[in-house]
Protein backbone atom coordinates (compact mmCIF):
# COMPACT_ATOMS: atom_id res chain seq x y z
CA UNK A 1 0.00 0.00 0.00
CA UNK A 2 1.27 3.45 -0.87
CA UNK A 3 1.58 6.35 1.52
CA UNK A 4 -0.58 9.11 0.14
CA UNK A 5 -0.67 12.73 1.23
CA UNK A 6 -3.58 15.16 0.93
CA UNK A 7 -2.10 18.67 1.10
CA UNK A 8 -4.43 21.56 1.93
CA UNK A 9 -4.49 24.23 -0.75
CA UNK A 10 -4.57 27.85 0.36
CA UNK A 11 -7.00 30.08 -1.49
CA UNK A 12 -9.11 27.21 -2.86
CA UNK A 13 -12.51 26.38 -1.34
CA UNK A 14 -12.60 23.09 0.58
CA UNK A 15 -13.76 20.15 -1.57
CA UNK A 16 -17.14 18.63 -0.76
CA UNK A 17 -16.51 14.90 -0.76
CA UNK A 18 -13.17 14.96 -2.60
CA UNK A 19 -9.57 16.18 -2.24
CA UNK A 20 -8.10 18.85 -4.49
CA UNK A 21 -4.60 17.36 -4.40
CA UNK A 22 -3.30 13.86 -3.67
CA UNK A 23 0.34 12.87 -3.90
CA UNK A 24 2.39 9.78 -3.13
CA UNK A 25 5.29 7.58 -4.22
CA UNK A 26 5.03 4.21 -5.89
CA UNK A 27 3.85 2.46 -9.05
CA UNK A 28 1.24 4.39 -11.05
CA UNK A 29 -1.88 2.32 -11.87
CA UNK A 30 -4.53 3.39 -14.39
CA UNK A 31 -7.87 1.58 -14.40
CA UNK A 32 -10.11 1.95 -17.42
CA UNK A 33 -13.61 3.25 -16.95
CA UNK A 34 -15.77 0.57 -15.39
CA UNK A 35 -19.48 0.15 -16.06
CA UNK A 36 -22.09 -2.02 -14.35
CA UNK A 37 -21.25 -5.28 -16.12
CA UNK A 38 -21.22 -8.46 -14.05
CA UNK A 39 -18.56 -11.17 -14.58
CA UNK A 40 -20.70 -12.63 -17.41
CA UNK A 41 -20.84 -9.29 -19.25
CA UNK A 42 -24.48 -8.62 -18.36
CA UNK A 43 -25.68 -5.23 -17.14
CA UNK A 44 -26.64 -4.97 -13.47
CA UNK A 45 -29.25 -2.47 -12.26
CA UNK A 46 -30.70 -1.28 -15.54
CA UNK A 47 -32.30 2.09 -14.81
CA UNK A 48 -30.99 2.12 -11.20
CA UNK A 49 -27.94 4.36 -10.64
CA UNK A 50 -27.29 3.09 -7.09
CA UNK A 51 -27.30 -0.57 -8.18
CA UNK A 52 -25.05 0.30 -11.11
CA UNK A 53 -22.70 2.22 -8.80
CA UNK A 54 -22.41 -0.85 -6.55
CA UNK A 55 -21.39 -3.02 -9.50
CA UNK A 56 -18.99 -0.37 -10.80
CA UNK A 57 -17.26 0.00 -7.43
CA UNK A 58 -17.07 -3.77 -7.09
CA UNK A 59 -15.45 -3.95 -10.54
CA UNK A 60 -13.00 -1.22 -9.51
CA UNK A 61 -12.23 -3.14 -6.29
CA UNK A 62 -11.46 -6.26 -8.32
CA UNK A 63 -9.23 -4.31 -10.73
CA UNK A 64 -7.35 -2.75 -7.82
CA UNK A 65 -6.97 -6.15 -6.15
CA UNK A 66 -5.45 -7.58 -9.34
CA UNK A 67 -2.44 -5.27 -8.83
CA UNK A 68 -2.27 -5.60 -5.05
CA UNK A 69 -4.05 -2.31 -4.41
CA UNK A 70 -7.10 -1.17 -2.46
CA UNK A 71 -9.25 1.93 -2.52
CA UNK A 72 -6.80 3.42 -0.01
CA UNK A 73 -4.32 3.63 -2.90
CA UNK A 74 -6.68 5.54 -5.23
CA UNK A 75 -5.58 9.10 -5.94
CA UNK A 76 -8.15 10.10 -8.60
CA UNK A 77 -11.62 9.06 -9.71
CA UNK A 78 -13.36 10.37 -12.81
CA UNK A 79 -17.12 9.93 -13.02
CA UNK A 80 -18.97 10.00 -16.32
CA UNK A 81 -22.74 10.10 -15.75
CA UNK A 82 -25.66 10.42 -18.12
CA UNK A 83 -27.50 12.50 -15.49
CA UNK A 84 -25.66 14.61 -12.91
CA UNK A 85 -28.60 13.95 -10.60
CA UNK A 86 -27.20 10.43 -10.07
CA UNK A 87 -24.27 11.78 -8.01
CA UNK A 88 -25.93 11.50 -4.56
CA UNK A 89 -26.63 7.79 -5.13
CA UNK A 90 -23.11 7.24 -6.47
CA UNK A 91 -21.56 9.07 -3.51
CA UNK A 92 -23.53 6.91 -1.07
CA UNK A 93 -21.97 3.80 -2.59
CA UNK A 94 -18.54 5.44 -2.91
CA UNK A 95 -18.56 6.26 0.79
CA UNK A 96 -19.12 2.57 1.60
CA UNK A 97 -16.07 1.60 -0.45
CA UNK A 98 -13.95 4.66 0.41
CA UNK A 99 -14.52 5.81 3.99
CA UNK A 100 -12.45 8.68 5.32
CA UNK A 101 -10.38 10.97 3.12
CA UNK A 102 -11.55 10.95 -0.47
CA UNK A 103 -9.37 10.98 -3.59
CA UNK A 104 -9.27 13.80 -6.11
CA UNK A 105 -12.36 13.57 -8.31
CA UNK A 106 -14.00 14.92 -11.43
CA UNK A 107 -17.64 14.39 -12.43
CA UNK A 108 -18.83 14.98 -15.98
CA UNK A 109 -22.33 14.65 -17.40
CA UNK A 110 -22.19 13.07 -20.84
CA UNK A 111 -24.82 12.70 -23.57
CA UNK A 112 -24.35 8.93 -23.71
CA UNK A 113 -22.03 6.08 -22.83
CA UNK A 114 -21.20 3.06 -25.01
CA UNK A 115 -24.56 1.39 -24.22
CA UNK A 116 -27.94 2.94 -23.45
CA UNK A 117 -28.08 0.63 -20.39
CA UNK A 118 -24.98 2.29 -18.89
CA UNK A 119 -25.90 5.17 -16.58
CA UNK A 120 -22.37 5.76 -15.30
CA UNK A 121 -18.75 4.92 -15.88
CA UNK A 122 -15.92 5.47 -13.40
CA UNK A 123 -12.18 5.36 -14.05
CA UNK A 124 -9.52 5.31 -11.35
CA UNK A 125 -5.85 6.12 -10.86
CA UNK A 126 -3.88 4.68 -7.97
CA UNK A 127 -0.34 4.65 -6.62
CA UNK A 128 0.81 1.32 -5.19
Amino acid sequence: MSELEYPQVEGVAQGNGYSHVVTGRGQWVAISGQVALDPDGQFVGIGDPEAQARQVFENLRRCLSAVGATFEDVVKLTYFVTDIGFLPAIRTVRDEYIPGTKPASTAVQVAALFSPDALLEIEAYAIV
Side-chain angles (χ1 to χ4, degrees), residues 60-114:
L60 288 168
R61 185 196 65 74
R62 289 178 177 148
C63 290
L64 289 163
S65 180
V67 295
T70 70
F71 280 105
E72 291 180 7
D73 300 305
V74 172
V75 296
K76 176 76 166 49
L77 293 171
T78 305
Y79 303 84
F80 302 95
V81 296
T82 57
D83 183 338
I84 207 75
F86 296 156
L87 284 181
I90 295 167
R91 282 182 167 182
T92 296
V93 175
R94 178 210 55 197
D95 291 350
E96 294 172 14
Y97 280 84
I98 309 175
T101 305
K102 306 298 187 250
S105 298
T106 300
V108 179
Q109 181 172 314
V110 296
L113 293 167
F114 83 98

Side-chain angles (χ1 to χ4, degrees), residues 14-78:
Q14 185 74 0
N16 182 13
Y18 64 93
S19 298
H20 284 291
V21 179
V22 182
T23 185
R25 293 186 185 276
Q27 179 181 3
W28 181 255
V29 177
I31 299 176
S32 293
Q34 297 296 304
V35 295
L37 293 174
D38 68 13
D40 296 321
Q42 302 300 310
F43 268 98
V44 172
I46 294 175
D48 182 345
E50 185 171 338
Q52 287 203 5
R54 287 192 189 291
Q55 184 64 49
V56 168
F57 275 96
E58 186 57 25
N59 291 350
L60 288 168
R61 185 196 65 74
R62 289 178 177 148
C63 290
L64 289 163
S65 180
V67 295
T70 70
F71 280 105
E72 291 180 7
D73 300 305
V74 172
V75 296
K76 176 76 166 49
L77 293 171
T78 305

